Amino acid sequence: MSDQEHMIRNLMSIIERMVDLQDRMVRQLETVTSQVEELQHRLDEYDRKEQPKLIRLN
């Protein structure tokens, strides 16, 4: 195998690893986004339930 072929194989391997890493990062970002949306929903629900109590306290 020539030096050029070796370099090309190394570059292809690096590119494959980078794509795999990017895929994992996208999945993690989707997971975090989903968790944040769920927390926001819970907070909204909590605010609706607690708001009348806060008004009474004031």
Side-chain angles (χ1 to χ4, degrees), residues 2-56:
S2 72
D3 285 343
Q4 187 177 16
E5 288 174 330
H6 186 68
M7 241 176 22
I8 290 171
R9 288 182 189 272
N10 282 341
L11 287 172
M12 291 298 292
S13 176
I14 290 169
I15 290 169
E16 288 173 358
R17 288 192 303 248
M18 289 174 66
V19 168
D20 288 346
L21 178 60
Q22 185 180 23
D23 287 346
R24 283 192 304 239
M25 289 172 61
V26 166
R27 284 194 302 274
Q28 288 175 346
L29 182 59
E30 289 171 340
T31 299
V32 168
T33 300
S34 175
Q35 290 170 340
V36 168
E37 289 171 345
E38 175 62 26
L39 286 171
Q40 183 64 52
H41 176 74
R42 288 180 182 184
L43 183 60
D44 291 345
E45 289 296 311
Y46 178 80
D47 283 349
R48 274 193 281 271
K49 290 176 183 172
E50 294 300 310
Q51 188 66 30
K53 293 178 186 174
L54 291 175
I55 292 171
R56 276 183 262 145

